[in-house]
Amino acid sequence: MASAAVSGIAAENPPLKPDAAERLVHLARCVEKERTLLDFPKRNWVVPHRSEDGQPILNVLIVGAGQAGLAIAFALLRDHVDRVLCIDMMPEGQEGPWLSIARMITLRTPKELTGPDLGLPSLSFQRWYVAQFGEQAWQDLFQIPRTEWVRYLRWVREVTRIPVQNGTRLDRIVPAGGCLAAEITATSGAERLLARKIVLATGMEGGGEWYTPEIMRAVPKRFWAHSSEPIDFSAVQDKRIAVLGAAASAMDNAAMALEHGARAVDQYCRRTQIQSIQPYKWAAFPGFTRHIGEMDDLWRWRFLSYFLDLREPFTQDAWERVSRFPNYRMVVGEPWQSVAVESEELVIRTSKGVAHADFIICGTGVTVDHRVRPELGAFAHNIATWHDNFRPPAGEENPRLSLFPYLSPSFCYTERVPGTTPELANIHCFNFATTLSFGPSGAAIRPMKHLVPKFARALTRDLFRDDIEQHWSDFRGYQGREFDAFPF
Ligand SMILES: Cc1cc2nc3c(=O)[nH]c(=O)nc-3n(C[C@H](O)[C@H](O)[C@H](O)COP(=O)(O)OP(=O)(O)OC[C@H]3O[C@@H](n4cnc5c(N)ncnc54)[C@H](O)[C@@H]3O)c2cc1C
């Protein structure tokens, strides 16, 4: 049943304004005006670096051209950092989860959120939406339709002129004589890109992998899929589907199965009570978002351990989407103990009995573990984790979090044994693995407004500091006189 199929259901849009195209062109001009208005000082300032054999070195290579990668690149361009390139393994327009594995109809976040705009009003989602559908449509809008968020991100990329190379996968980062080499596979074949800094803006699974419980490993793959995989929902018709997990994505997959004619969908929640608290909502204030990463380890651990244990609850509208089906059932407080295939049928043994199904969808989230990331293979042995650096007080242990990387104030990986892999100081993490060190940041929309500028500042600080001697020499050689002749 797992096969290539995009998430099909889209919200219906209100009618486009007859002059929507012209209004968008006008809006793009407004973006340009606002950008120019605030564009002082204007000069590129990062000292150009070349390799020993004269090859140009990128200042920053950003891996991932989802919303985070684009916003980081835009922040750097606005700070006149040149030689910035974004790469993404997906074709243009297909970046991120939105058109593949995101199976909700609208975003789960409030429609008013800002982020990729970096403070330019005309670049906000709201202005973009109003330009096409009008003010009343915005007032009437409940949440942002998932497919409109993708179209918006494409527009942001276009009007900000962010340099992106699609169809380009980062395979591995290796040291390269004082800088980093990104071994990539592009449409033209294997290549190496040299960069001073590499940013991993690689999304939810970018710090590890999608998590599959051990009990599923021996089950033949034709009987199950992870919610992060392509699923051919046309094949669920008349089938009994068991969904493992009760967080947001699990619920979206249950809804998809029901809407595609499943005979029954049973969704299993391990906990005795369904988690309905949205931690991102509580955390969405500047004090926490911007500064939790500056607090001491104990406070970071305490807040984020609690935050990450809450997970992402499903929304009210997701609940309404499934609960209108009489053949849907939420089974609470019934963890699975084993899964087996008997006579072409799945037999699920739970803490309370035995259940049967034809197909399982695991909505079981992600784990963070840098050791499984091929791009970090050359450094993995020396990446410091929270477990290496911090011992929680008795009663506050949380083994699930021990492999989160212990990041530096520049969002870089740090060394377990100092001095043996100094290149880690130039590999910056802005994916889900950033969360324990900096709070909600990578792989989330709400914190972008505060965390993308903070992250970009960390990059510019490093780029300035690492060339401080050259800047000192430039300053002393500076001849930009304010006037030509002293009048007296
Ligand atoms: C199913 C789902 C639903 C979500 N719904 C919401 C929501 O409603 N509201 C909300 O606020 N947040 C939501 N999120 C969380 C978050 O906003 C998204 O994950 C969002 O896509 C994160 O943006 P990003 O740019 O950090 O990562 P992504 O959008 O995932 O972009 C990362 C990019 O990196 C690329 N990449 C990864 N590895 C490599 C490599 N080695 N080489 C080259 N390219 C690479 C990928 O192709 C991808 O395009 C959702 C997440 C998921 C998974």
Side-chain angles (χ1 to χ4, degrees):
M1 206 175 286
S3 81
V6 293
S7 38
I9 297 187
E12 264 184 41
N13 281 324
L16 275 174
K17 289 265 165 203
D19 56 348
E22 293 83 31
R23 287 161 67 110
L24 264 192
V25 171
H26 174 72
L27 190 63
R29 276 195 213 113
C30 294
V31 172
E32 199 55 37
K33 264 192 195 154
E34 287 167 8
R35 187 173 174 176
T36 310
L37 184 72
L38 299 175
D39 190 16
F40 178 86
K42 252 187 195 312
R43 76 182 150 119
N44 291 347
W45 55 273
V46 183
V47 177
H49 284 224
R50 283 185 176 272
S51 65
E52 273 176 12
D53 60 355
Q55 279 189 63
I57 299 176
L58 289 166
N59 286 323
V60 184
L61 173 67
I62 301 170
V63 184
Q67 62 201 22
L70 295 180
I72 293 164
F74 186 40
L76 292 174
L77 296 182
R78 287 184 70 192
D79 271 347
H80 290 280
V81 175
D82 59 349
R83 281 162 288 131
V84 172
L85 177 68
C86 270
I87 59 170
D88 200 294
M89 60 189 179
M90 297 301 287
E92 184 169 350
Q94 299 294 318
E95 301 88 355
W98 309 114
L99 296 181
S100 52
I101 60 162
R103 299 184 173 113
M104 64 284 187
I105 295 169
T106 60
L107 295 197
R108 302 166 187 142
T109 21
K111 66 176 181 179
E112 294 83 6
L113 54 71
T114 62
D117 53 84
L118 292 185
L120 297 184
S122 296
L123 198 58
S124 62
F125 179 83
Q126 182 172 346
R127 285 271 171 90
W128 176 83
Y129 190 86
V130 168
Q132 294 171 90
F133 303 108
E135 187 56 45
Q136 189 56 50
W138 171 257
Q139 298 303 333
D140 296 343
L141 184 70
F142 166 54
Q143 310 240 82
I144 296 174
R146 173 176 52 79
T147 47
E148 292 309 289
W149 184 249
V150 182
R151 290 186 54 232
Y152 165 69
L153 290 177
R154 282 186 206 156
W155 180 77
V156 168
R157 166 175 168 175
E158 187 189 313
V159 300
T160 51
R161 301 183 298 279
I162 293 163
V164 182
Q165 189 175 308
N166 281 95
T168 304
R169 187 186 66 221
L170 169 69
D171 296 321
R172 200 171 155 88
I173 305 172
V174 292
C179 70
L180 297 164
E183 296 178 349
I184 57 167
T185 304
T187 39
S188 51
E191 273 178 53
R192 267 160 65 101
L193 292 173
L194 298 180
R196 291 178 65 182
K197 296 195 160 286
I198 296 183
V199 170
L200 299 175
T202 43
M204 284 301 289
E205 74 279 32
E209 61 186 349
W210 295 104
Y211 171 69
T212 302
E214 213 40 55
I215 49 169
M216 296 306 302
R217 302 248 181 229
V219 180
K221 202 61 191 53
R222 68 179 191 283
F223 286 102
W224 67 277
H226 193 280
S227 62
S228 63
E229 290 179 284
I231 298 174
D232 177 6
F233 279 94
S234 64
V236 306
Q237 196 160 20
D238 286 330
K239 299 263 162 44
R240 294 163 300 167
I241 307 297
V243 176
L244 181 58
S249 282
M251 180 60 93
D252 297 334
N253 280 272
M256 286 288 279
L258 290 160
E259 287 160 357
H260 284 80
R263 188 182 347 146
V265 173
D266 289 347
Q267 183 167 4
Y268 287 82
C269 174
R270 183 170 39 101
R271 306 177 195 213
T272 47
Q273 280 209 319
I274 297 174
Q275 203 290 101
S276 61
I277 305 295
Q278 172 49 276
Y280 282 93
K281 198 169 186 175
W282 180 86
F285 61 95
F288 184 82
T289 311
R290 199 183 284 142
H291 302 297
I292 184 65
E294 296 155 19
M295 301 298 114
D296 65 30
D297 287 356
L298 179 58
W299 277 120
R300 287 196 286 172
W301 178 266
R302 208 164 252 170
F303 271 100
L304 293 155
S305 181
Y306 183 65
F307 180 96
L308 289 163
D309 272 357
L310 283 173
R311 321 258 170 130
E312 179 94 23
F314 55 81
T315 53
Q316 179 65 32
D317 56 316
W319 174 249
E320 283 162 16
R321 196 175 159 199
V322 293
S323 57
R324 67 197 165 90
F325 287 90
N327 50 343
Y328 170 76
R329 204 163 61 107
M330 172 68 89
V331 184
V332 176
E334 209 171 316
W336 289 8
Q337 293 168 339
S338 69
V339 179
V341 179
E342 292 171 18
S343 314
E344 284 301 292
E345 183 185 55
L346 286 158
V347 179
I348 303 163
R349 290 192 168 74
T350 74
S351 59
K352 293 189 182 160
V354 177
H356 298 91
D358 300 310
F359 194 73
I360 289 173
I361 302 176
C362 295
T364 39
V366 288
T367 48
V368 170
D369 182 354
H370 61 268
R371 297 169 307 182
V372 302
R373 300 301 313 176
E375 62 272 17
L376 291 172
F379 305 100
H381 63 284
N382 202 34
I383 288 180
T385 62
W386 270 76
H387 178 73
D388 295 319
N389 283 282
F390 176 71
R391 287 285 171 275
E396 296 192 45
E397 300 86 354
N398 191 340
R400 190 169 81 86
L401 306 189
S402 59
L403 282 173
F404 271 73
Y406 189 89
L407 301 175
S408 79
S410 296
F411 297 67
C412 291
Y413 291 97
T414 52
E415 296 177 277
R416 290 173 71 192
V417 181
T420 53
T421 52
E423 297 82 9
L424 284 175
N426 287 310
I427 305 179
H428 301 255
C429 179
F430 203 78
N431 52 40
F432 182 70
T434 312
T435 312
L436 189 51
S437 294
F438 286 94
S441 41
I445 307 175
R446 287 180 219 246
M448 286 179 77
K449 174 178 177 175
H450 296 113
L451 263 290
V452 169
K454 185 178 175 119
F455 181 71
R457 234 167 261 169
L459 293 171
T460 55
R461 181 188 57 221
D462 283 11
L463 287 168
F464 175 70
R465 184 202 54 209
D466 293 350
D467 285 333
I468 192 81
E469 286 178 10
Q470 184 64 47
H471 288 295
W472 174 231
S473 154
D474 285 356
F475 189 18
R476 304 227 304 164
Y478 177 63
Q479 294 297 319
R481 296 179 192 284
E482 293 299 304
F483 48 83
D484 284 335
F486 193 62
F488 302 106

